[in-house]
Amino acid sequence: MRILLIGSGGREHALAWKLSQSAHASRIFVAPGNGGTATLPGCCNVSIEAEDLPTLLHFARENAIDLTVVGPEIPLVAGLADQFAAEGLRVFGPSAAAAQLEGSKAFSKAFMNRHAIPTGWARVFNSFESAADFAFGLDTLPVIKASGLAAGKGVFLPESRAEAVDQLRTVMVERRFGDAGDTVLIEERLFGPELSVLAFSDGKELRLMPAAQDHKRLQDGDLGPNTGGMGAFAPSPLATQELMTEVEQTVLHPALAAMNAEGAAYQGVLYAGLILTDSGPKVLEFNCRFGDPEAQVILPLLDCDLLEVMTACVKGRLAECPLNSWAGSAVTVVVASSGYPGPYETGKVVSGLPSGELGEDGALVFHAGTRLSSAEGCDSEIVTDGGRVLSVTATGATLAEAAASAYRTVESISFDGAVWREDIGRDVAW
Ligand code: GLY
């Protein structure tokens, strides 16, 4: 099968790596890809941006693509799956109607309320004045969220009512996220550990993957600014069989059935971002794709041919497809550019990378913000090209072994200004 994989981060390198092991994969094109997907056997990058739907569609038609796999949310929310389906092209990922679960937090919250899926209370506002009045009248501190896609930056945790009003002004009046902040949610602030539970779905059946925990803050101890994710581990020790059954029965199955009932059958990865409160798991958000960096720890734990599972989802035949996981744990440590998530320099040569995919102790080095220094393959070096540069994943019999192995590989790689957290999978609080 000829595959078009869309995206350019560590998640997409992990997807390309797992797909490349499939007996059915003949060629994997990655648009636009990164330095890691450029050098992965069986893969090649194509220079098309993930948001450029017309050019992606043209490429898929001209290159006889059998399956398109979408990494990030923006093309799905923009209707890539619908446009491809209209041309008879198969896509692993939900339609625009189903991707609203991530694309509109206002839709998602109303959907959860309509179908009694456990979540915190929220009020939705389209005017700054009404939102500010409401926030000012609260006697507890809320969460403020832009309803639209804001690259993970549209969530605020104010420390005072005055700060809440300032944050609402930033989103609704100064329009930091453009249209994405025209509608805002003021939500209940929930407390407890967070857990990511992802499932494959063919619209009728679900297959749950090992639950992961990610670390969004820049510094050890979950301190410092929020980032796209500085590391993750799976399976989470919090995810007992009992909890996973509860999440399947109270969140994932009801969501799938309700999307069907509303005429928007959900095919692809359904990602529930949960908070484990004293009164049970509640949904913070739904995402319509693999998480990043969750994918970098979940995919190495799946004992399956990923292409067979994705094809079963697309054909509505997941019932025929079991999903098994390897025993053991996986940890990924993100190596970032100094300055990230603020401004940072790029173009730094990365040295110490393994010559194949595997580093010290068999660790996997997934690239995120990298590129080849030139198009001339043999003289080319890998240079930094983003804030999150690498995602170093290792598996082990225990979380501690996986973390030790990942950190040994992290320490063998260097580039000017490399930064990472030291506590991923090591100081797990639960
Ligand atoms: N790790 C969070 C996300 O992918 O949205």
Side-chain angles (χ1 to χ4, degrees):
M1 286 174 69
R2 292 162 67 78
I3 299 155
L4 172 60
L5 170 62
I6 296 173
S8 62
R11 166 182 54 203
E12 285 74 25
H13 189 184
L15 282 165
W17 165 78
K18 190 75 178 171
L19 286 168
S20 71
Q21 293 166 12
S22 169
H24 311 286
S26 57
R27 195 93 182 111
I28 303 172
F29 300 94
V30 193
N34 59 35
T37 54
T39 51
L40 186 66
C43 282
C44 70
N45 288 352
V46 288
S47 179
I48 309 173
E49 290 305 316
E51 291 85 20
D52 184 354
L53 270 49
T55 311
L56 291 168
L57 183 55
H58 182 258
F59 180 88
R61 259 193 326 245
E62 294 300 304
N63 290 277
I65 295 297
D66 298 300
L67 181 69
T68 297
V69 177
V70 187
E73 62 279 13
I74 291 178
L76 291 166
V77 172
L80 182 145
D82 311 75
Q83 292 182 25
F84 276 48
E87 302 265 344
L89 292 163
R90 288 194 161 125
V91 175
F92 176 78
S95 65
Q100 279 188 96
L101 273 183
E102 176 165 4
S104 165
K105 295 198 189 324
F107 170 87
S108 187
K109 188 62 83 170
F111 172 84
M112 287 187 264
N113 287 335
R114 274 198 300 284
H115 299 287
I117 294 171
T119 187
W121 61 257
R123 288 276 305 269
V124 177
F125 296 92
N126 296 308
S127 110
F128 166 69
E129 288 74 20
S130 336
D133 277 353
F134 180 76
F136 214 77
L138 285 172
D139 48 18
T140 56
L141 290 171
V143 180
I144 291 172
K145 287 185 183 168
S147 178
L149 294 180
K153 297 186 180 132
V155 178
F156 297 87
L157 299 173
E159 295 295 332
S160 65
R161 289 186 290 182
E163 197 182 347
V165 173
D166 284 346
Q167 289 162 346
L168 287 165
R169 187 176 294 106
T170 305
V171 177
M172 303 188 86
V173 179
E174 295 161 14
R175 306 185 84 241
R176 181 182 291 177
F177 309 112
D179 298 352
D182 286 350
T183 299
V184 160
L185 285 79
I186 300 181
E187 290 192 8
E188 180 180 1
R189 194 177 294 196
L190 298 169
F191 297 92
E194 292 184 25
L195 189 68
S196 305
V197 181
L198 283 69
F200 291 101
S201 168
D202 67 353
K204 302 175 295 237
E205 289 283 332
L206 290 170
R207 293 283 180 269
L208 270 62
M209 299 178 233
Q213 280 180 260
D214 73 339
H215 291 279
K216 296 192 178 72
R217 302 293 192 117
L218 181 69
Q219 291 154 8
D220 287 9
D222 288 331
L223 299 173
N226 258 327
T227 69
M230 293 301 291
F233 57 91
S236 163
L238 298 167
T240 59
Q241 189 52 52
E242 189 187 6
L243 180 79
M244 292 299 271
T245 303
E246 183 178 358
V247 170
E248 188 169 9
Q249 290 176 352
T250 63
V251 174
L252 292 168
H253 265 301
L256 196 61
M259 289 305 277
N260 262 324
E262 295 196 2
Y266 193 102
Q267 181 269 114
V269 169
L270 180 58
Y271 167 147
L274 303 169
I275 185 155
L276 307 182
T277 71
D278 289 343
S279 52
K282 296 194 177 179
V283 179
L284 290 175
E285 62 180 6
F286 281 117
N287 293 324
C288 63
R289 48 163 176 92
F290 280 98
D292 187 340
E294 288 94 330
Q296 292 92 304
V297 285
I298 292 172
L299 293 169
L301 292 175
L302 295 184
D303 176 14
C304 72
D305 180 321
L306 183 61
L307 193 46
E308 283 179 8
V309 178
M310 289 179 164
T311 304
C313 289
V314 172
K315 293 186 172 172
R317 295 168 71 164
L318 199 53
E320 298 162 24
C321 191
L323 183 69
N324 297 314
S325 300
W326 303 106
S329 299
V331 170
T332 198
V333 179
V334 169
V335 185
S337 302
S338 173
Y340 173 78
Y344 52 82
E345 293 178 8
T346 60
K348 311 289 183 190
V349 175
V350 184
S351 57
L353 286 169
S355 48
E357 288 140 46
L358 302 180
E360 296 274 319
D361 304 336
L364 293 152
V365 180
F366 295 126
H367 293 220
T370 70
R371 62 178 167 81
L372 295 176
S373 60
S374 78
E376 314 305 320
C378 41
D379 290 335
S380 207
E381 295 175 299
I382 296 284
V383 296
T384 66
D385 196 35
R388 290 190 295 167
V389 176
L390 302 168
S391 186
V392 179
T393 300
T395 54
T398 62
L399 205 50
E401 281 180 31
S405 171
Y407 276 105
R408 272 195 294 277
T409 299
V410 166
E411 276 148 24
S412 68
I413 297 171
S414 59
F415 59 86
D416 188 17
V419 294
W420 61 86
R421 278 179 59 155
E422 291 284 358
D423 61 347
I424 309 295
R426 282 177 161 167
D427 297 315
V428 181
W430 63 80

